[in-house]
Amino acid sequence: MVRLLQDPRKAGQPLLVLYDVQDDRRRTRVMAACKDYGLARMQYSAYQGKLTRTARLELETRLVKALGNSPGTIMVLQLEQAQLDTATTIEQLGDDDR
């Protein structure tokens, strides 16, 4: 059973994590960190969720360690709930997804 590093019942700010990491092992560490904090994968290299300020800082520290000296970029964006409420999502399922 996975133990989340933040209680999902705690209020938090919407967060978006985007990354482009070349090294497979480092990329796996970035993905694991996002999952450990309860973020949901929305694309191959994007996770979203809600984190408290403390959890966000912990996650950012872990992401820095995960990337190490490898080439790559990780962006952590804090959003406002209003941005998500007014966002438009366009999704087209491929034949394999139906």
Side-chain angles (χ1 to χ4, degrees):
M1 180 171 187
V2 176
R3 184 179 72 84
L4 297 179
L5 297 177
Q6 175 180 289
D7 185 341
R9 296 169 293 181
K10 289 188 176 181
Q13 285 293 111
L15 192 74
L16 182 62
V17 178
L18 307 170
Y19 59 91
D20 181 12
V21 178
Q22 295 176 12
D23 182 83
D24 289 341
R25 198 170 80 193
R26 301 281 183 175
R27 187 172 47 251
T28 299
R29 289 179 185 172
V30 169
M31 293 171 11
C34 290
K35 289 179 185 178
D36 287 348
Y37 279 86
L39 301 180
R41 188 179 217 166
M42 58 181 293
Q43 281 190 344
Y44 183 74
S45 59
Y47 282 81
Q48 71 175 14
K50 291 185 176 184
L51 294 181
T52 62
R53 182 180 182 279
T54 301
R56 176 189 172 175
L57 293 174
E58 290 172 1
L59 173 62
E60 289 174 351
T61 299
R62 187 164 163 192
L63 292 173
V64 167
K65 289 179 184 177
L67 185 58
N69 293 330
S70 295
T73 303
I74 302 172
M75 182 181 289
V76 180
L77 301 166
Q78 185 155 338
L79 306 172
E80 296 297 325
Q81 187 60 47
Q83 292 171 298
L84 293 177
D85 293 342
T86 60
T88 301
T89 302
I90 301 169
E91 180 178 22
Q92 177 64 38
L93 297 177
D95 291 337
D96 294 341
D97 297 327
R98 293 182 187 165

